[in-house]
C-alpha cells in the first residue's frame, strides 16, 4: 500500500512530459554535429556546420543579425530592468495608493494580450506617427514587453525582504537614500540580476513582434533564422539554433542559481530567528 | 506593515512614471490606434483613408458577392478560421491538462529539496526561443525525420507517419509550446494542498481515484483554471506553430493577421479588425476567469 | 524625576480606527520601563511612534524635553532592537554593529574599535566576521542588542526581543538585559505581552489594553494593587468575584460574597453597591474548618512546585487556591468542605 500521494501512471507521465519537452532540442543538438550535407542521414561527427555559420555564404547576414540581436537585448534589458526596479519599489513598498491596481494591470498587460495583437498594434502605431520601422522601433518595442519579465523576479524578491531592514537602517541614522542604497539594493540584487537575465533572453528570443516592427532590411537572429527556414531547413540552421539554445539555457540557469543563492541568505536568518 | 511617512508618497510618481509612459504610450495607445484603424477605409495603394467605415467588419462577417452588390450572406471563410483556431486551442489545452496535471502532481510530491530542480527543468524550455523549439519539432516529426526513421527501422511502421502539415502537428506544436504554462499554476495549487485531506478521505473508505475526483480536484481547481487560460490564450493567437508545422489547411488567426498586415495583398483595416476580434475573444476569456475567481473567493 | 521620554495625549488613528486614545506617560532617565499588554493593545504602535516609524496623529512625544514628534527616524537619538532582529543579512556581524556609527560619520578605525567593544560586551567578539545567518537565535539577539547600543542612544527601544527565543534562553537573557541596562545607564523601553518578563525586569510597568494605559507602577504595585478588573485579570491569576459592599468604616469595607459570606477589605469612603473583588489564589490558607469563607473541594491539580485546589463557594462560584507543594501541607480530598483564611490585604476591591 503506497501513500495517498501516489497515483499510478503519474510518474510515467511526468517523465514523458520532460522527454517531450527536451527531445526536439536534444535531437537538433545532436544533428547539428552531423557531417553529412543531408539533413537527416548521419554522416559522422563534424563541426562543419558550425564553421559554416561563421564562414559560409550566410555568415555575414547572420553576423549582422546577431549583432543587432545582442545590442538590442543588452539595451532593452538594461532599460527595462531600471524601469521595472523603480516600479517594483513603488508597488511593493508604497503601501496602498490610488491607481495601484491599475498600475499592476498595466505592468501585466504585455503578458495578457496575445503577442500578435501587440505586434500589429505597434506596427500600426509607428506607421501612424510616422516613425520609420527599423532598429529604433524594434528597441522601443523590446523595452516595452521586457518590463513585466524583469518586474516579476524583482518584485518577488522585494516582497521577500522584510520592511524592518530598512527601518533598522533608518533607526541607525541612515537617510532614506542610504537605507535604499546600502541595505535594500544589495538585498534586491539577486532579483535584479535575475530580472535582467530574463529580460535579455526574452528580447533575444522574440520573433513575432520583431518581425512586424523591424521593417525591411533589418534582421535580428530569430527573423534571420525564420527567413532561412522558410527557404527550407538547412544544417547550418541546426548549428546556429543549438548555439542560441545553449546561450538561453545558460542564462536561465544562471538566473535560477543566483536567485536561489540569494533566497538562502534571507530564509536562513528567518528560520533560526 | 511598513511605516508610511508623508515624504515617501511623493516618490511614487517618479518611480512609476517610466512604467506608465512606456507601457501606456507603446502598448495601450497602439492598441487604441489599432482599434481606430479597424474602422477606417482601406486605400488600394496600401495605406488607409481616414474616413469612418465598417467595411472591415462587414468583410469579416458578410459576403456581398464579387462586386459587392449582392444581398449580404454570412461569410464563413473567416469565421471558420476563428472556429478552427478555437478548436485547435481547446485541443491543445486539453492535451496540456492531461499531461500537465500528473506532472504538476509528481513535482509537488517530490521532497522539498528537489522540487526546485524539477520545476526548473519544466521552465527551461519556456525560456528557449520558441522559433527554434518549433523548428526543432518540425525537424523531429518530418517524414524523413529522426522519429519516423526510428519507427521504420524498428519495423513499427512501413511508411513514414505523415504528421507534419496536419492539424495534429499544430496541436502537438501548441501543446509543446505552452505546456509549462499549465504545469506551473497547477503545481502552485497542489503544493498548497493539504495531503492529510487525502488521508482523511482514504480513512473514510474513498478509493484513490474517488479522492482525486471528490477532494483534490475541487480544491486545486483555481490552479487548473488558471493553467487552462494561460495555455488557451496564447494558443488562440499563435503564429509559429500553425505556420511552421501546419499547412494551408491549418490556417489560424495568427496567420490571417500576418497575411493581412505583412502580405502583398494586405488590408490593414481588415487585419486590425481581425486583431480586435481576437482581442475581444481573449478579453471574454479573461473576464470569465476573473469572475470565476471572485465567485470562488466569495463562496 | 527627570523624564527621558514624555508622551502628551498621543493619539494614533488609521483611517476610521483608533489605535491609541490619548496616551500620556512619563518615562524616567535610567529607567527600565515596560509596556505590557495583550496583542493589539497598541504597545508596539506606541514604541514605533517613539522610534519614528509611525506618524503621530495627535499629541506630542518629547525626548529629554525636546519635541521629536515630526522627526525622521534617523534624526532621533533612540535605537531599536527589533522583534526578528532585522540584522542586515548581507553584512558581517561587526559591520552590522558598526552601521549606526558609520551613518553618524565615525571614521573606520574608531567604529571598528567601538563595535568590537560592543561585541565583547555581549560575548560575541569571536563571531565578528560571520554573517548573521551563521549565528544561533540567541547570538543574533545579542548582536541586535550590540548594534542598537553602539551609537550610545539616549533611549533603547526593545520590541518583544525575547519572543523568538526558547524558554531557557529567554530566562537567561532577562538577567542579561537587566544587567546591561544597569551597566549602561540607558533608559530601556521594553514591549512585551509576557507578564513574567515584565515583572522580573522592569522598574515600572505600564499595563495597556485597547489603546489605553490602564495602570502605571512598579511591578509589585501592579501585581498586588491592580486598579481595575483588566489589570487584575491580566497580571497573574486571580479569583474575580462580584460582591455587594454593605458598609465602609475607617477605610475598611464589609462586603458580601456570592455565597453569603462576609469579609473585610480596604476601601475608600463612600464606596457602595456592586463591585468586583480580586483575591489572589496564593494569598489564602486552607483549614479543615473555620476561616472567613467556606467552600467544597472539587479537584486537586498537581503543578510541580504548586498544588492548585479548585473549590466551589456556597453560592456556586468557582474559586482557586494555590498551595506550595511541600510535605507539610495536608492536601484535602475532593468533596470535603474546607475553610479558607485570607491573608492580610489578600482581597482587593476593584474600581470597575
Amino acid at each position: 500500500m503506497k501513500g495517498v500521494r501516489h497515483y499510478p501512471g503519474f510518474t510515467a507521465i511526468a517523465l514523458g512530459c520532460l522527454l517531450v519537452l527536451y527531445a526536439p532540442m536534444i535531437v537538433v543538438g545532436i544533428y547539428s554535429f552531423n557531417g553529412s550535407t543531408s539533413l537527416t542521414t548521419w554522416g559522422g561527427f563534424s563541426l562543419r556546420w558550425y564553421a559554416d555559420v561563421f564562414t559560409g555564404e550566410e555568415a555575414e547576414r547572420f553576423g549582422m543579425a546577431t549583432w543587432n540581436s545582442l545590442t538590442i537585448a543588452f539595451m532593452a534589458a538594461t532599460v527595462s530592468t531600471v524601469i521595472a526596479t523603480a516600479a517594483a519599489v513603488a508597488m511593493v513598498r508604497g503601501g496602498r495608493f490610488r491607481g495601484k491596481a491599475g498600475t499592476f494591470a498595466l505592468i501585466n498587460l504585455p503578458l495578457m494580450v496575445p503577442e500578435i495583437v501587440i505586434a500589429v498594434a505597434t506596427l500600426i502605431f509607428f506607421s501612424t506617427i510616422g516613425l520609420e520601422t527599423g532598429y529604433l522601433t524594434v528597441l522601443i518595442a523590446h523595452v516595452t514587453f521586457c518590463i513585466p519579465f524583469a518586474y516579476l523576479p524583482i518584485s518577488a524578491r522585494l516582497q521577500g525582504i522584510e520592511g524592518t531592514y530598512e527601518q533598522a537602517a533608518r533607526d541607525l541614522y541612515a537617510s532614506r537614500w542610504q537605507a535604499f542604497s546600502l541595505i535594500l539594493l544589495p538585498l534586491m540584487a539577486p532579483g535584479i540580476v535575475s530580472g535582467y537575465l530574463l529580460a535579455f533572453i526574452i528580447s533575444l528570443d522574440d520573433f513575432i513582434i520583431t518581425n512586424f516592427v523591424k521593417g525591411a532590411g533589418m534582421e535580428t537572429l530569430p527573423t534571420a533564422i525564420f527567413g532561412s527556414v522558410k527557404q527550407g531547413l538547412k544544417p547550418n540552421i541546426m548549428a546556429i539554433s543549438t548555439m542560441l539554445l545553449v546561450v538561453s539555457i545558460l542564462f536561465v540557469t544562471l538566473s535560477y542559481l543566483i536567485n536561489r543563492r540569494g533566497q538562502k541568505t534571507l530564509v536562513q536568518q528567518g528560520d533560526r530567528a | 506593515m511598513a511605516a508610511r511617512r508623508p515624504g515617501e508618497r511623493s516618490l511614487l510618481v517618479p518611480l512609476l512614471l517610466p512604467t506608465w509612459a512606456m507601457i501606456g504610450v507603446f502598448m495601450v495607445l497602439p492598441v487604441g490606434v489599432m482599434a481606430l484603424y479597424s474602422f477606417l477605409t482601406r486605400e488600394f495603394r496600401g495605406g488607409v483613408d481616414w474616413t469612418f467605415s465598417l467595411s472591415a467588419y462587414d468583410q469579416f462577417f458578410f459576403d456581398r458577392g464579387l462586386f459587392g452588390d449582392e444581398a449580404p450572406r454570412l461569410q464563413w471563410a473567416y469565421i471558420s478560421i476563428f472556429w478552427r483556431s478555437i478548436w485547435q486551442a481547446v485541443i491543445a489545452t486539453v492535451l496540456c491538462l492531461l499531461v500537465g496535471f500528473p506532472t504538476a502532481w509528481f513535482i509537488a510530491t517530490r521532497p522539498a529539496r528537489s522540487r526546485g530542480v524539477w520545476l526548473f527543468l519544466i521552465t527551461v524550455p519556456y525560456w528557449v526561443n520558441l522559433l527554434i523549439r518549433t523548428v526543432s519539432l518540425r525537424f523531429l516529426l518530418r517524414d524523413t525525420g529522426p522519429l519516423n526513421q526510428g519507427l521504420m527501422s524498428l519495423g513499427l511502421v512501413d511508411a513514414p507517419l505523415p504528421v507534419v502539415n496536419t492539424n495534429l502537428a499544430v496541436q502537438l506544436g501548441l501543446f509543446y509550446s505552452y505546456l509549462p504554462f499549465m504545469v506551473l499554476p497547477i503545481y502552485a495549487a497542489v503544493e498548497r494542498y493539504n495531503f492529510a485531506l487525502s488521508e482523511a478521505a482514504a480513512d473514510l473508505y474513498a478509493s484513490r481515484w474517488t479522492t482525486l475526483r471528490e477532494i483534490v480536484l475541487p480544491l486545486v481547481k483555481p490552479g487548473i483554471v488558471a493553467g487552462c487560460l494561460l495555455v488557451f490564450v496564447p494558443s488562440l493567437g499563435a503564429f509559429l506553430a500553425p505556420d511552421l508545422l501546419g499547412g494551408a489547411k491549418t490556417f489560424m488567426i495568427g496567420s490571417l493577421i500576418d497575411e493581412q498586415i505583412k502580405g502583398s495583398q494586405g488590408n490593414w483595416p481588415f487585419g486590425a479588425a481581425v486583431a480586435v476580434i481576437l482581442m475581444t475573444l481573449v478579453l471574454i476569456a479573461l473576464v470569465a476567469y476573473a469572475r470565476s475567481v471572485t465567485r470562488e473567493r466569495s463562496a | 524625576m527627570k523624564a527621558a521620554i514624555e508622551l502628551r495625549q498621543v493619539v494614533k488613528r488609521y483611517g476610521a480606527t483608533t489605535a491609541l486614545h490619548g496616551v500620556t506617560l512619563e518615562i524616567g532617565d535610567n529607567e527600565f520601563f515596560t509596556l505590557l499588554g495583550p496583542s493589539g493593545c497598541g504597545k508596539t504602535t506606541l514604541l514605533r511612534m517613539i522610534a519614528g516609524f509611525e506618524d503621530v496623529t495627535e499629541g506630542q512625544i518629547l525626548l529629554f524635553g525636546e519635541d521629536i514628534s515630526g522627526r525622521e527616524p534617523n534624526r532621533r537619538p533612540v535605537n531599536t532592537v527589533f522583534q526578528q532582529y532585522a540584522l542586515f543579512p548581507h553584512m558581517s556581524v561587526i559591520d552590522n554593529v558598526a552601521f549606526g556609527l558609520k551613518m553618524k560619520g565615525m571614521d573606520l578605525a574608531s567604529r571598528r574599535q567601538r563595535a568590537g567593544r560592543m561585541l565583547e560586551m555581549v560575548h560575541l567578539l569571536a563571531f565578528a566576521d560571520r554573517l548573521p545567518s551563521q549565528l544561533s537565535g540567541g547570538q543574533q539577539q545579542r548582536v541586535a542588542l550590540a548594534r542598537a547600543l553602539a551609537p550610545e542612544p539616549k533611549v533603547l527601544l526593545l520590541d518583544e526581543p525575547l519572543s523568538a527565543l526558547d524558554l531557557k534562553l529567554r530566562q537567561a537573557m532577562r538577567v542579561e538585559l537587566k544587567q546591561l541596562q544597569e551597566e549602561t545607564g540607558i533608559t530601556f523601553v521594553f514591549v512585551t505581552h509576557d507578564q513574567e518578563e515584565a515583572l522580573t525586569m522592569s522598574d515600572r510597568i505600564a499595563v495597556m489594553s485597547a489603546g489605553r494605559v490602564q495602570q502605571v507602577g512598579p511591578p509589585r504595585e501592579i501585581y498586588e494593587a491592580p486598579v481595575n478588573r483588566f489589570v487584575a485579570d491580566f497580571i497573574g491569576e486571580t479569583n474575580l468575584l462580584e460582591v455587594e459592599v454593605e458598609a465602609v468604616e475607617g477605610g475598611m469595607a464589609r462586603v458580601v460574597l456570592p455565597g453569603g459570606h462576609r469579609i473585610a477589605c480596604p476601601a475608600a469612603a463612600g464606596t457602595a453597591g456592586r463591585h468586583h473583588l480580586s483575591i489572589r489564589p496564593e494569598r489564602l490558607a486552607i483549614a479543615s474548618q473555620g476561616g472567613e469563607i467556606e467552600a467544597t473541594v472539587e479537584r486537586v491539580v498537581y503543578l510541580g512546585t504548586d498544588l492548585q485546589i479548585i473549590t466551589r463557594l456556597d453560592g456556586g462560584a468557582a474559586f482557586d487556591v494555590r498551595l506550595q507543594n511541600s510535605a507539610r501541607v495536608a492536601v484535602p480530598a475532593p468533596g470535603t468542605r474546607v475553610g479558607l483564611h485570607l491573608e492580610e490585604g489578600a482581597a482587593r476591591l476593584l474600581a470597575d
Side-chain angles (χ1 to χ4, degrees):
Chain A
M1 179 70 202
K2 296 199 171 157
V4 291
R5 286 170 167 79
H6 178 80
Y7 278 85
F10 277 22
T11 305
I13 293 176
L15 297 178
C17 169
L18 280 175
L19 184 72
V20 168
L21 284 177
Y22 285 91
M25 293 189 264
I26 292 170
V27 165
V28 165
I30 293 171
Y31 275 85
S32 70
F33 296 104
N34 190 353
S36 151
T37 31
S38 150
L39 210 49
T40 39
T41 347
W42 185 252
F45 178 86
S46 154
L47 289 172
R48 62 183 284 197
W49 298 114
Y50 286 87
D52 184 79
V53 169
F54 295 102
T55 57
E57 54 185 72
E58 286 188 298
E60 199 184 331
R61 187 162 150 261
F62 280 130
M64 200 57 223
T66 307
W67 173 251
N68 286 338
S69 271
L70 288 178
T71 50
I72 285 172
F74 171 75
M75 286 188 280
T78 308
V79 175
S80 62
T81 303
V82 171
I83 292 176
T85 304
V89 170
M91 292 294 281
V92 179
R93 286 295 195 259
R96 262 184 274 170
F97 57 88
R98 254 181 54 202
K100 186 170 186 174
T103 307
F104 188 74
L106 196 70
I107 293 171
N108 284 294
L109 194 70
L111 302 176
M112 306 282 213
V113 182
E115 241 191 310
I116 189 109
V117 173
I118 296 176
V120 172
T122 316
L123 173 62
I124 290 178
F125 176 71
F126 285 141
S127 144
T128 305
I129 62 170
L131 193 58
E132 202 177 325
T133 48
Y135 192 93
L136 180 66
T137 51
V138 173
L139 181 60
I140 291 173
H142 278 223
V143 169
T144 309
F145 71 69
C146 280
I147 290 174
F149 291 96
Y151 177 84
L152 288 176
I154 297 173
S155 73
R157 172 76 186 176
L158 190 52
Q159 269 158 2
I161 302 171
E162 282 177 56
T164 45
Y165 293 128
E166 290 137 271
Q167 282 171 19
R170 302 276 280 139
D171 187 60
L172 294 162
Y173 314 105
S175 68
R176 195 175 294 153
W177 169 249
Q178 285 170 319
F180 176 74
S181 59
L182 295 176
I183 305 300
L184 197 56
L185 208 55
L187 290 177
M188 281 172 78
I192 294 175
V193 173
S194 181
Y196 181 90
L197 293 176
L198 294 186
F200 192 93
I201 302 174
I202 285 293
S203 166
L204 199 63
D205 282 358
D206 180 72
F207 167 71
I208 293 179
I209 295 173
T210 312
N211 194 35
F212 271 76
V213 299
K214 75 184 174 61
M218 192 262 189
E219 298 277 8
T220 64
L221 205 43
T223 64
I225 292 174
F226 183 78
S228 196
V229 168
K230 276 297 192 182
Q231 311 291 316
L233 196 53
K234 281 167 290 184
N236 62 341
I237 294 297
M238 315 272 262
I240 205 164
S241 295
T242 306
M243 287 190 279
L244 200 52
L245 216 131
V246 169
V247 170
S248 293
I249 293 178
L250 221 67
F251 266 57
V252 177
T253 311
L254 210 60
S255 157
Y256 169 76
L257 291 177
I258 287 170
N259 224 346
R260 206 179 57 166
R261 249 192 69 189
Q263 220 74 41
K264 268 187 188 157
T265 56
L266 282 186
V267 168
Q268 269 178 9
Q269 193 183 6
D271 278 351
R272 292 211 191 160
Chain B
M1 248 227 355
R4 302 285 144 250
R5 313 202 104 260
E8 267 154 47
R9 311 229 124 226
S10 59
L11 283 174
L12 286 176
V13 171
L15 285 174
L16 288 171
L17 197 62
T19 306
W20 291 335
M22 277 315 282
I23 301 182
V25 174
F26 296 110
M27 197 157 291
V28 179
L29 190 59
V31 168
V33 172
M34 177 189 77
L36 189 68
Y37 243 72
S38 70
F39 292 104
L40 296 179
T41 313
R42 173 194 185 191
E43 267 218 356
F44 282 90
R45 285 180 301 276
V48 285
D49 182 7
W50 286 79
T51 43
F52 176 80
S53 153
L54 284 172
S55 64
Y57 294 94
D58 188 73
Q59 184 190 345
F60 186 89
F61 289 107
F62 299 109
D63 180 5
R64 292 176 193 273
L66 195 56
F67 302 102
D69 53 359
E70 293 170 30
R73 281 169 299 147
L74 214 50
Q75 161 75 281
W76 285 108
Y78 301 121
I79 296 175
S80 70
I81 290 175
F82 265 72
W83 181 243
R84 187 189 305 127
S85 300
I86 293 173
W87 190 234
Q88 298 277 54
V90 166
I91 292 178
T93 307
V94 171
L95 275 177
C96 283
L97 180 59
L98 290 178
V99 174
F101 182 84
T103 306
W105 182 276
F106 169 81
I107 297 173
T109 52
R110 290 311 93 196
R113 290 182 65 85
S114 58
R115 264 180 236 164
V117 177
W118 286 105
L119 273 182
F120 174 70
L121 286 176
I122 290 287
T123 40
V124 163
Y126 167 70
W127 296 108
V128 171
N129 196 319
L130 185 59
L131 170 65
I132 289 179
R133 287 202 291 145
T134 312
V135 169
S136 305
L137 191 62
R138 184 183 169 89
F139 173 71
L140 182 67
L141 295 177
R142 51 194 246 152
D143 290 0
T144 56
L147 185 69
N148 272 317
Q149 281 186 345
L151 288 176
M152 286 197 291
S153 65
L154 288 172
L156 291 171
V157 291
D158 298 327
L161 290 175
V163 182
V164 169
N165 296 340
T166 64
N167 279 329
L168 177 66
V170 177
Q171 287 149 12
L172 281 176
L174 294 174
F175 161 76
Y176 172 62
S177 302
Y178 304 119
L179 182 57
F181 288 168
M182 183 64 85
V183 176
L184 294 179
I186 297 182
Y187 163 79
V190 174
E191 207 239 340
R192 279 197 301 270
Y193 174 71
N194 177 4
F195 287 97
L197 296 177
S198 285
E199 288 171 355
D203 185 57
L204 296 164
Y205 317 109
S207 75
R208 214 173 277 286
W209 298 101
T210 311
T211 305
L212 187 69
R213 196 177 63 236
E214 300 286 329
I215 313 292
V216 177
L217 287 183
L219 287 172
V220 302
K221 205 178 95 194
I224 292 177
V225 174
C228 288
L229 191 76
L230 286 176
V231 173
F232 180 78
V233 167
S235 295
L236 196 58
F239 170 73
L240 283 172
D243 192 75
L244 290 173
L245 293 166
K249 277 183 299 181
T250 61
F251 208 68
M252 281 173 63
I253 304 173
S255 314
L256 176 62
I257 295 175
D258 184 72
E259 185 191 75
Q260 293 298 326
I261 301 290
K262 299 202 56 139
S264 51
Q265 299 293 307
N267 177 345
W268 280 28
F270 184 69
V274 176
V276 167
I277 296 170
L278 168 62
M279 212 175 63
T280 311
L281 282 181
V282 168
L283 217 61
I284 290 171
L286 286 176
V287 168
Y289 169 71
R291 284 193 145 191
S292 83
V293 171
T294 29
R295 209 176 327 116
E296 206 81 17
R297 277 199 196 132
S298 56
Chain C
M1 187 174 69
K2 185 180 161 203
I5 288 180
E6 200 184 333
L7 305 175
R8 288 185 188 159
Q9 286 300 322
V10 171
V11 175
K12 179 71 190 178
R13 274 191 286 271
Y14 297 101
T17 54
T18 306
L20 290 173
H21 305 264
V23 171
T24 299
L25 268 181
E26 271 193 23
I27 300 170
D29 201 5
N30 290 342
E31 200 173 19
F32 196 119
F33 192 89
T34 297
L35 298 169
L36 173 67
S39 61
C41 71
K43 57 189 193 299
T44 296
T45 305
L46 198 57
L47 192 83
R48 292 169 58 82
M49 286 163 89
I50 299 173
F53 303 137
E54 304 271 358
D55 289 325
V56 178
T57 313
E58 278 170 33
Q60 281 178 309
I61 298 174
L62 278 70
L63 186 76
F64 290 99
E66 202 180 340
D67 188 356
I68 57 162
S69 316
R71 271 203 220 166
E72 297 273 309
N74 53 327
R75 305 200 181 282
R76 299 183 188 207
V78 297
N79 290 137
T80 308
V81 177
F82 290 83
Q83 191 170 9
Q84 300 290 342
Y85 319 137
L87 298 179
F88 306 130
H90 59 304
M91 293 182 186
S92 69
V93 164
I94 191 137
D95 284 344
N96 262 282
V97 176
F99 186 85
L101 304 170
K102 184 178 170 187
M103 291 300 110
K104 289 185 95 173
M106 194 184 270
D107 64 86
L108 180 69
S110 349
R111 65 177 190 251
R112 300 263 323 169
Q113 197 188 6
R114 170 143 181 86
R117 273 211 311 280
M118 297 309 296
L119 283 176
E120 209 174 352
M121 187 178 78
V122 295
H123 319 296
L124 282 174
L125 193 53
F127 297 86
D129 294 320
R130 300 235 186 140
L131 285 176
S133 57
Q134 296 167 313
L135 302 184
S136 72
Q139 290 167 333
Q140 290 183 18
Q141 153 83 92
R142 295 214 291 271
V143 175
L145 257 173
R147 183 178 75 173
L149 285 170
E152 298 182 300
K154 291 188 174 163
V155 174
L156 186 75
L157 308 174
L158 302 103
D159 184 9
E160 308 226 15
L162 305 182
S163 63
L165 303 178
D166 60 38
L167 183 66
K168 279 262 191 286
L169 207 51
R170 208 153 61 213
Q171 285 169 342
M173 278 308 291
R174 281 181 202 160
V175 180
E176 221 171 301
L177 266 181
K178 182 72 189 162
Q179 265 176 2
L180 210 57
Q181 192 261 331
E182 280 162 6
E183 278 167 26
T184 55
I186 292 174
T187 306
F188 277 31
V189 182
F190 187 90
V191 161
T192 184
H193 64 272
D194 183 329
Q195 41 153 320
E196 206 178 303
E197 238 168 64
L199 293 173
T200 48
M201 289 191 288
S202 319
D203 294 321
R204 285 195 309 149
I205 298 171
V207 183
M208 292 183 67
S209 154
R212 290 194 170 84
V213 173
Q214 305 290 334
Q215 186 173 0
V216 185
R220 197 179 191 96
E221 193 181 305
I222 296 278
Y223 185 80
E224 294 188 4
V227 293
N228 60 26
R229 259 167 78 193
F230 176 81
V231 177
D233 204 28
F234 187 72
I235 311 287
E237 282 169 42
T238 196
N239 293 296
L240 275 181
L241 298 171
E242 237 185 286
V243 298
E244 183 83 32
V245 178
E246 270 190 342
V248 184
E249 260 173 53
M252 292 300 277
R254 199 164 69 241
V255 302
V256 187
L257 301 191
H261 297 291
R262 286 178 170 73
I263 61 166
C265 67
T271 314
R274 299 196 73 77
H275 279 272
H276 279 92
L277 185 77
S278 159
I279 302 174
R280 297 281 183 202
E282 73 277 10
R283 294 300 199 84
L284 293 158
I286 283 192
S288 52
Q289 52 195 343
E292 293 94 326
I293 310 174
E294 285 186 351
T296 309
V297 175
E298 286 204 327
R299 181 184 286 272
V300 178
V301 183
Y302 179 76
L303 297 175
T305 55
D306 287 341
L307 293 170
Q308 182 188 13
I309 320 285
I310 302 172
T311 70
R312 200 161 284 280
L313 299 187
D314 291 348
F319 200 82
D320 268 15
V321 182
R322 281 287 179 104
L323 297 179
Q324 230 176 38
N325 186 11
S326 122
R328 281 168 289 142
V329 172
V331 181
T336 49
R337 276 187 75 74
V338 290
L340 304 175
H341 286 285
L342 274 73
E343 286 176 15
E344 202 181 310
R348 206 179 150 79
L349 217 47
L350 303 174
D352 62 338

